[in-house]
Amino acid sequence: MKERNVVLTRLYQSPCGVLMLGSFGDQLCLCDWQVEKRHVCVNRRLQKMLRAGFTEGTSEVMEKAVLQLDEFFVGKRREFDVPLLFAGTGFQQRVWDELLKIPFGETVSYGEMARRIGMPAAVRAVANANGANALSVFVPCHRVIGGDSLLRGYGGGVDTKRKLLELEGVAFSELKRGWCLDKTEGGVWTKRIEGK
């Protein structure tokens, strides 16, 4: 009987919620929020693509990831140097590679992401690839916003996305509904009232 590959997993309690970390060999393959149903699909995809089962445990790369996450969440780290393993289609990997180029404290729209990868009409496909990212925080999909400057879906929830952007120095002010970047206010985040 063939031995099955193993993804070692452990939970990480961040100030924004619980993340599941996973390593495959000496690479981090998982850093995913555990609050929405999406993580079940991400886990299944990883298990299928890596032909691996999940086993609770830890590894050197996960311990390094924990240390760097701790530093990030207290404002002492802006970039990560943990070795990453992308498990996705070629298109998804192109999008995730582009996410790595978005600087700390900056945002881009899904449309801009599509243009950056040379496929300006593929906005929805880019958004879907963004949503399939198994390496939240390390691959900063939280830095991608709607073309209308509204915060759009996020695996950890929109409120977590807002908190991560605030942690990176993106300023917000609150109104009633829908967070958005108000370019007329010098790039200050406001909570947009529907219909305005």
Side-chain angles (χ1 to χ4, degrees):
M1 185 169 152
K2 188 177 177 187
E3 216 174 292
R4 196 156 182 203
N5 293 323
V6 174
V7 172
L8 292 175
T9 63
R10 65 161 286 190
L11 296 178
Y12 173 80
Q13 179 64 56
S14 83
C16 299
V18 177
L19 289 157
M20 180 182 283
L21 302 179
S23 67
F24 187 75
D26 60 354
Q27 295 175 299
L28 191 71
C29 63
L30 183 65
C31 179
D32 200 29
W33 301 102
Q34 300 298 291
V35 294
E36 294 187 0
K37 294 178 185 176
R38 182 192 72 78
H39 75 274
V40 174
C41 295
V42 168
N43 293 350
R44 267 194 231 126
R45 185 184 78 241
L46 279 174
Q47 290 172 329
K48 182 178 178 182
M49 293 191 87
L50 299 175
R51 294 185 178 103
F54 283 11
T55 300
E56 194 172 321
T58 193
S59 66
E60 190 175 313
V61 73
M62 276 198 287
E63 294 308 312
K64 184 175 182 178
V66 166
L67 176 64
Q68 291 189 14
L69 285 169
D70 287 344
E71 292 170 348
F72 173 80
F73 283 112
V74 296
K76 292 183 178 177
R77 176 173 290 275
R78 291 174 165 235
E79 295 177 2
F80 300 99
D81 61 6
V82 172
L84 304 175
L85 174 64
F86 291 153
T89 66
F91 177 79
Q92 288 171 329
Q93 291 183 33
R94 269 178 71 191
V95 172
W96 301 334
D97 281 332
E98 195 61 39
L99 288 171
L100 291 170
K101 297 175 187 174
I102 305 170
F104 180 93
E106 293 185 23
T107 60
V108 299
S109 70
Y110 294 99
E112 175 60 24
M113 284 289 295
R115 284 187 288 284
R116 287 182 180 190
I117 64 165
M119 300 180 73
V123 177
R124 280 195 181 172
V126 165
N128 286 335
N130 211 49
N133 175 21
L135 289 158
S136 293
V137 185
F138 290 94
V139 179
C141 53
H142 62 277
R143 296 178 186 154
V144 184
I145 61 173
D148 55 4
S149 296
L150 282 172
L151 293 186
R152 297 294 179 190
Y154 184 64
V158 174
D159 195 49
T160 296
K161 186 173 193 170
R162 180 186 56 79
K163 288 176 184 175
L164 289 170
L165 290 170
E166 284 178 332
L167 180 71
E168 294 188 14
V170 179
F172 289 84
S173 64
E174 190 172 348
L175 296 175
K176 290 189 178 178
R177 297 185 194 111
W179 291 99
C180 70
L181 179 61
D182 186 346
K183 293 179 170 64
T184 63
E185 296 292 325
V188 174
W189 286 94
T190 58
K191 203 168 185 182
R192 179 179 287 174
I193 301 170
E194 279 184 37
K196 289 195 175 187

